[in-house]
Coordinates of all heavy atoms in Angstrom, one line a residue:
M1 N 1.1 -5.4 -8.9 CA 1.8 -4.5 -8.1 C 3.2 -5.0 -7.7 O 3.4 -6.2 -7.4 CB 1.0 -4.3 -6.7 CG 1.8 -3.4 -5.8 SD 0.9 -2.9 -4.3 CE 0.2 -4.4 -3.5
R2 N 4.1 -4.1 -7.7 CA 5.5 -4.6 -7.5 C 5.9 -4.1 -6.0 O 5.6 -2.9 -5.7 CB 6.5 -3.9 -8.3 CG 7.9 -4.4 -8.2 CD 8.7 -3.6 -9.3 NE 10.1 -4.0 -9.0 CZ 11.1 -3.3 -9.4 NH1 10.9 -2.3 -10.3 NH2 12.3 -3.6 -9.1
I3 N 6.3 -5.0 -5.3 CA 6.7 -4.7 -3.8 C 8.1 -4.7 -3.7 O 8.8 -5.6 -4.1 CB 6.2 -5.9 -3.0 CG1 4.6 -5.8 -3.0 CG2 6.6 -5.6 -1.5 CD1 3.9 -6.9 -2.3
V4 N 8.7 -3.6 -3.2 CA 10.1 -3.5 -2.9 C 10.3 -3.0 -1.6 O 9.7 -2.2 -0.8 CB 10.6 -2.2 -3.9 CG1 12.0 -1.9 -3.6 CG2 10.3 -2.4 -5.3
H5 N 11.4 -3.7 -0.9 CA 11.6 -3.5 0.4 C 12.7 -2.4 0.5 O 13.7 -2.6 -0.1 CB 12.4 -4.7 1.1 CG 12.8 -4.5 2.5 ND1 11.9 -4.3 3.6 CD2 14.0 -4.2 2.8 CE1 12.8 -4.1 4.6 NE2 14.0 -3.9 4.4
L6 N 12.4 -1.3 1.3 CA 13.3 -0.3 1.6 C 13.5 -0.2 3.0 O 12.5 -0.2 3.9 CB 12.8 1.0 1.1 CG 12.7 1.3 -0.4 CD1 12.0 2.5 -0.7 CD2 14.1 1.3 -0.9
P7 N 14.7 0.2 3.6 CA 14.8 0.6 4.9 C 14.0 1.8 5.3 O 13.8 2.7 4.4 CB 16.3 0.9 5.1 CG 17.0 0.2 3.9 CD 15.9 0.3 2.8
V8 N 13.6 1.9 6.5 CA 12.6 3.0 6.9 C 13.2 4.3 6.6 O 12.6 5.1 6.1 CB 12.3 2.8 8.4 CG1 11.4 4.0 8.9 CG2 11.5 1.5 8.6
R9 N 14.4 4.4 7.0 CA 15.1 5.8 6.7 C 15.1 6.1 5.3 O 14.9 7.4 4.9 CB 16.5 5.7 7.2 CG 16.5 5.8 8.7 CD 17.8 5.8 9.3 NE 18.5 7.1 9.1 CZ 19.7 7.5 9.4 NH1 20.4 6.7 9.9 NH2 20.1 8.7 9.2
A10 N 15.3 5.1 4.3 CA 15.3 5.6 2.9 C 13.9 5.8 2.3 O 13.8 6.8 1.6 CB 16.0 4.3 2.2
A11 N 13.1 5.1 2.9 CA 11.6 5.4 2.4 C 11.2 6.8 2.9 O 10.4 7.5 2.2 CB 10.7 4.2 3.0
T12 N 11.6 7.0 4.3 CA 11.2 8.4 4.8 C 11.8 9.5 4.0 O 11.2 10.5 3.6 CB 11.6 8.4 6.2 OG1 10.9 7.4 6.9 CG2 11.3 9.8 6.9
W13 N 13.1 9.3 3.5 CA 13.8 10.3 2.7 C 13.1 10.4 1.5 O 12.8 11.5 0.9 CB 15.2 9.9 2.4 CG 15.8 10.8 1.4 CD1 16.6 12.1 1.9 CD2 16.0 10.6 0.1 NE1 16.9 12.5 0.7 CE2 16.7 11.8 -0.4 CE3 15.5 9.7 -0.8 CZ2 16.9 12.0 -1.7 CZ3 15.9 10.0 -2.1 CH2 16.5 10.9 -2.6
A14 N 12.6 9.3 0.7 CA 12.0 9.4 -0.5 C 10.7 10.1 -0.3 O 10.3 10.8 -1.2 CB 11.7 7.9 -1.1
A15 N 10.0 9.9 0.8 CA 8.7 10.5 0.9 C 8.9 12.0 1.1 O 8.1 12.8 0.5 CB 7.9 10.0 2.2
R16 N 9.9 12.5 1.8 CA 10.1 13.9 2.1 C 10.6 14.5 0.9 O 10.3 15.7 0.7 CB 11.1 14.1 3.3 CG 10.4 13.7 4.6 CD 11.5 14.0 5.8 NE 10.9 13.6 6.9 CZ 11.4 13.2 8.1 NH1 12.8 13.1 7.9 NH2 10.9 13.0 9.2
A17 N 11.3 13.9 0.0 CA 12.0 14.5 -1.1 C 10.8 14.4 -2.3 O 11.2 15.0 -3.3 CB 13.1 13.6 -1.6
G18 N 9.7 13.8 -2.1 CA 8.7 13.7 -3.1 C 9.0 12.9 -4.3 O 8.6 13.1 -5.5
R19 N 10.1 11.7 -4.0 CA 10.4 11.0 -5.0 C 9.4 9.9 -5.6 O 9.4 9.4 -6.7 CB 11.6 10.1 -4.5 CG 12.9 11.0 -4.3 CD 13.3 11.5 -5.5 NE 14.5 12.3 -5.2 CZ 15.4 12.7 -6.0 NH1 15.2 12.4 -7.3 NH2 16.4 13.5 -5.7
V20 N 8.4 9.8 -4.6 CA 7.4 8.7 -5.1 C 6.0 9.4 -4.8 O 5.6 9.8 -3.7 CB 7.3 7.4 -4.0 CG1 6.3 6.4 -4.4 CG2 8.7 6.8 -4.1
P21 N 5.2 9.5 -6.0 CA 4.0 10.3 -5.8 C 3.0 9.6 -4.8 O 2.9 8.3 -4.8 CB 3.4 10.1 -7.4 CG 4.6 9.9 -8.1 CD 5.4 9.1 -7.3
G22 N 2.4 10.4 -3.9 CA 1.6 9.8 -2.9 C 2.1 9.3 -1.7 O 1.4 9.0 -0.6
L23 N 3.4 9.2 -1.8 CA 4.0 8.6 -0.5 C 4.3 9.7 0.4 O 5.0 10.7 0.0 CB 5.4 7.9 -0.8 CG 6.1 7.2 0.2 CD1 5.3 6.1 0.9 CD2 7.3 6.7 -0.2
T24 N 3.9 9.6 1.6 CA 4.2 10.7 2.7 C 5.0 10.1 3.8 O 4.9 8.9 4.1 CB 2.9 11.3 3.2 OG1 2.2 10.3 3.8 CG2 2.0 11.8 2.1
P25 N 5.6 10.9 4.6 CA 6.4 10.4 5.9 C 5.4 9.7 6.8 O 5.7 8.7 7.3 CB 7.0 11.6 6.4 CG 7.2 12.6 5.2 CD 6.0 12.3 4.4
Y26 N 4.1 10.2 6.9 CA 3.1 9.6 7.6 C 2.7 8.2 7.1 O 2.7 7.3 7.9 CB 1.8 10.5 7.7 CG 0.7 9.8 8.4 CD1 0.7 10.0 9.8 CD2 -0.3 9.2 7.7 CE1 -0.4 9.3 10.4 CE2 -1.4 8.6 8.5 CZ -1.4 8.6 9.9 OH -2.3 8.0 10.5
A27 N 2.6 8.0 5.9 CA 2.4 6.6 5.3 C 3.5 5.8 5.6 O 3.3 4.6 5.9 CB 2.1 6.7 3.9
V28 N 4.8 6.2 5.4 CA 5.8 5.3 5.8 C 5.8 5.0 7.2 O 6.0 3.7 7.5 CB 7.2 6.0 5.6 CG1 8.3 5.2 6.0 CG2 7.3 6.2 4.0
E29 N 5.6 5.9 8.1 CA 5.4 5.5 9.5 C 4.3 4.5 9.9 O 4.5 3.4 10.6 CB 5.2 6.7 10.3 CG 5.0 6.5 11.8 CD 6.1 6.2 12.5 OE1 7.4 6.3 12.1 OE2 6.2 5.6 13.6
Q30 N 3.3 4.6 9.2 CA 2.1 3.7 9.5 C 2.4 2.3 8.9 O 1.9 1.4 9.6 CB 0.9 4.2 8.7 CG 0.3 5.5 9.4 CD 0.0 5.3 10.8 OE1 -0.8 4.6 11.2 NE2 0.7 6.1 11.6
V31 N 3.0 2.1 7.8 CA 3.3 0.7 7.4 C 4.6 0.1 8.0 O 4.9 -1.0 8.0 CB 3.4 0.6 6.0 CG1 2.1 1.0 5.3 CG2 4.5 1.5 5.3
A32 N 5.5 1.0 8.5 CA 6.8 0.6 9.0 C 6.8 0.1 10.5 O 7.7 -0.7 11.0 CB 7.9 1.6 9.0
R33 N 5.8 0.5 11.2 CA 5.6 0.2 12.6 C 4.5 -0.8 12.8 O 3.5 -0.7 12.0 CB 5.4 1.5 13.4 CG 6.4 2.6 13.2 CD 7.8 2.3 13.7 NE 8.6 3.3 13.5 CZ 9.8 3.1 13.0 NH1 10.2 1.8 12.7 NH2 10.7 4.2 12.7
G34 N 4.6 -1.7 13.8 CA 3.5 -2.6 14.0 C 2.4 -1.9 14.6 O 2.5 -1.0 15.3
G35 N 1.2 -2.5 14.4 CA 0.0 -1.9 15.0 C -1.2 -2.7 14.6 O -1.1 -3.6 13.7
V36 N -2.4 -2.4 15.2 CA -3.6 -3.2 15.1 C -4.8 -2.3 14.7 O -4.9 -1.3 15.3 CB -3.9 -3.9 16.3 CG1 -5.3 -4.7 16.2 CG2 -2.9 -4.9 16.7
L37 N -5.4 -2.6 13.5 CA -6.5 -1.7 13.1 C -7.8 -2.4 13.8 O -8.1 -3.5 13.1 CB -6.5 -1.6 11.6 CG -7.7 -0.7 11.1 CD1 -7.7 0.7 11.7 CD2 -7.5 -0.6 9.6
D38 N -8.3 -2.1 14.7 CA -9.4 -2.6 15.4 C -10.6 -1.5 15.3 O -10.5 -0.6 16.2 CB -9.2 -3.1 16.8 CG -10.4 -3.8 17.5 OD1 -11.5 -3.9 16.8 OD2 -10.2 -4.2 18.5
T39 N -11.6 -1.8 14.7 CA -12.8 -0.8 14.6 C -14.0 -1.3 15.4 O -15.0 -0.8 15.3 CB -13.2 -0.7 13.1 OG1 -13.6 -2.0 12.7 CG2 -12.1 -0.2 12.3
T40 N -13.7 -2.3 16.3 CA -14.9 -2.8 17.1 C -15.6 -1.8 17.9 O -16.8 -1.7 17.9 CB -14.3 -3.9 18.1 OG1 -13.6 -4.9 17.4 CG2 -15.4 -4.5 18.9
R41 N -14.9 -1.0 18.7 CA -15.6 0.2 19.4 C -16.3 1.2 18.6 O -17.5 1.6 18.9 CB -14.5 0.7 20.3 CG -14.1 -0.1 21.5 CD -13.0 0.5 22.3 NE -13.5 1.6 23.0 CZ -12.7 2.5 23.7 NH1 -11.4 2.4 23.8 NH2 -13.4 3.5 24.3
A42 N -15.5 1.6 17.5 CA -16.3 2.6 16.6 C -17.5 1.8 15.9 O -18.6 2.5 15.8 CB -15.4 2.8 15.3
R43 N -17.5 0.6 15.6 CA -18.7 0.0 15.1 C -19.8 -0.2 16.0 O -21.1 -0.1 15.7 CB -18.3 -1.4 14.5 CG -17.5 -1.4 13.3 CD -17.1 -2.8 12.7 NE -16.2 -2.7 11.6 CZ -16.5 -3.0 10.4 NH1 -17.7 -3.4 10.1 NH2 -15.7 -2.9 9.5
A44 N -19.4 -0.3 17.3 CA -20.4 -0.4 18.3 C -21.1 0.9 18.4 O -22.4 0.8 19.1 CB -19.7 -0.8 19.7
T45 N -20.7 2.0 18.1 CA -21.5 3.3 18.1 C -22.4 3.4 16.9 O -23.0 4.5 16.7 CB -20.5 4.5 18.3 OG1 -19.8 4.6 17.1 CG2 -19.7 4.4 19.4
G46 N -22.2 2.5 16.0 CA -23.0 2.5 14.7 C -22.3 3.0 13.5 O -22.7 3.2 12.4
W47 N -20.9 3.2 13.7 CA -20.1 3.7 12.6 C -19.7 2.6 11.7 O -19.6 1.4 12.1 CB -18.9 4.2 13.1 CG -17.8 4.6 12.0 CD1 -17.9 5.8 11.2 CD2 -16.7 3.9 11.6 NE1 -16.7 5.8 10.5 CE2 -16.0 4.6 10.6 CE3 -16.3 2.6 12.0 CZ2 -15.0 4.1 9.9 CZ3 -15.1 2.1 11.3 CH2 -14.4 2.9 10.3
E48 N -19.8 2.8 10.3 CA -19.4 1.7 9.4 C -18.4 2.3 8.5 O -18.5 3.5 8.0 CB -20.7 1.3 8.5 CG -21.8 0.5 9.3 CD -21.0 -0.9 9.7 OE1 -20.3 -1.4 9.0 OE2 -21.4 -1.3 10.9
P49 N -17.3 1.6 8.2 CA -16.3 2.1 7.3 C -16.7 2.1 5.8 O -17.6 1.4 5.4 CB -15.2 1.1 7.5 CG -15.8 -0.2 7.9 CD -17.1 0.2 8.7
R50 N -16.1 3.1 5.1 CA -16.4 3.1 3.7 C -15.8 1.9 3.0 O -16.3 1.6 1.9 CB -15.7 4.5 3.0 CG -16.3 5.6 3.5 CD -15.7 6.8 2.7 NE -15.6 7.9 3.6 CZ -14.9 9.0 3.4 NH1 -14.3 9.1 2.3 NH2 -14.8 9.9 4.2
W51 N -14.8 1.2 3.5 CA -14.2 0.1 2.9 C -13.7 -0.8 4.0 O -13.5 -0.4 5.1 CB -13.1 0.4 1.9 CG -12.2 1.5 2.5 CD1 -12.2 2.8 2.1 CD2 -11.0 1.4 3.4 NE1 -11.2 3.5 2.9 CE2 -10.5 2.6 3.7 CE3 -10.5 0.3 4.1 CZ2 -9.4 2.8 4.4 CZ3 -9.5 0.4 4.9 CH2 -8.9 1.8 5.2
E52 N -13.6 -2.0 3.8 CA -13.2 -3.1 4.6 C -11.7 -3.2 4.5 O -11.1 -3.4 3.5 CB -13.8 -4.5 4.4 CG -15.3 -4.5 4.7 CD -15.6 -4.2 6.2 OE1 -14.8 -4.7 7.0 OE2 -16.6 -3.7 6.5
P53 N -10.9 -3.0 5.6 CA -9.6 -3.1 5.6 C -9.0 -4.3 5.1 O -8.0 -4.4 4.3 CB -9.1 -3.0 7.2 CG -10.2 -2.3 7.8 CD -11.4 -2.8 7.0
D54 N -9.6 -5.5 5.3 CA -9.1 -6.8 4.8 C -9.1 -6.8 3.2 O -8.3 -7.2 2.6 CB -10.0 -8.0 5.2 CG -9.7 -8.2 6.6 OD1 -8.8 -7.8 7.3 OD2 -10.5 -9.1 7.2
A55 N -10.2 -6.2 2.6 CA -10.2 -6.1 1.2 C -9.3 -5.1 0.6 O -8.6 -5.5 -0.5 CB -11.7 -5.6 0.7
V56 N -8.9 -4.1 1.3 CA -8.0 -3.1 0.8 C -6.6 -3.7 0.9 O -5.7 -3.5 0.0 CB -8.1 -1.7 1.5 CG1 -7.1 -0.8 1.1 CG2 -9.4 -1.2 1.2
L57 N -6.3 -4.4 1.9 CA -5.0 -4.9 2.3 C -4.8 -6.2 1.5 O -3.6 -6.7 1.6 CB -4.8 -5.1 3.7 CG -4.8 -3.7 4.6 CD1 -4.7 -4.1 6.0 CD2 -3.6 -2.8 4.1
G58 N -5.7 -6.7 0.9 CA -5.6 -8.0 0.2 C -5.5 -9.1 1.1 O -4.8 -10.2 0.7
L59 N -6.0 -9.1 2.3 CA -6.1 -10.3 3.2 C -7.2 -11.2 3.1 O -8.1 -11.0 2.5 CB -6.0 -9.8 4.6 CG -4.9 -8.7 5.0 CD1 -5.2 -8.2 6.4 CD2 -3.5 -9.5 4.9

């Protein structure tokens, strides 16, 4: 996989213009802004994810 750094505005433009298949403005927003994916409360109710975030993110 090739990783390329783009400014958020450029990535958002590319997403809106359809320049990168599968890239959406929502996806740009999710990876461009800090956040925490914590599934503790959901798992406490018995929910299980289809995939583990660490495995998908390569952590």
Side-chain angles (χ1 to χ4, degrees):
M1 173 170 57
R2 183 174 174 204
I3 298 175
V4 178
H5 172 77
L6 286 176
V8 174
R9 289 182 72 182
T12 301
W13 175 84
R16 287 185 179 148
R19 299 286 181 169
V20 180
L23 183 65
T24 64
Y26 176 78
V28 171
E29 177 68 23
Q30 293 303 300
V31 298
R33 308 287 178 231
V36 176
L37 180 57
D38 184 0
T39 59
T40 305
R41 290 178 62 191
R43 286 176 188 255
T45 67
W47 175 84
E48 288 295 325
R50 288 188 220 167
W51 43 262
E52 291 295 327
D54 290 350
V56 174
L57 298 172
L59 301 175

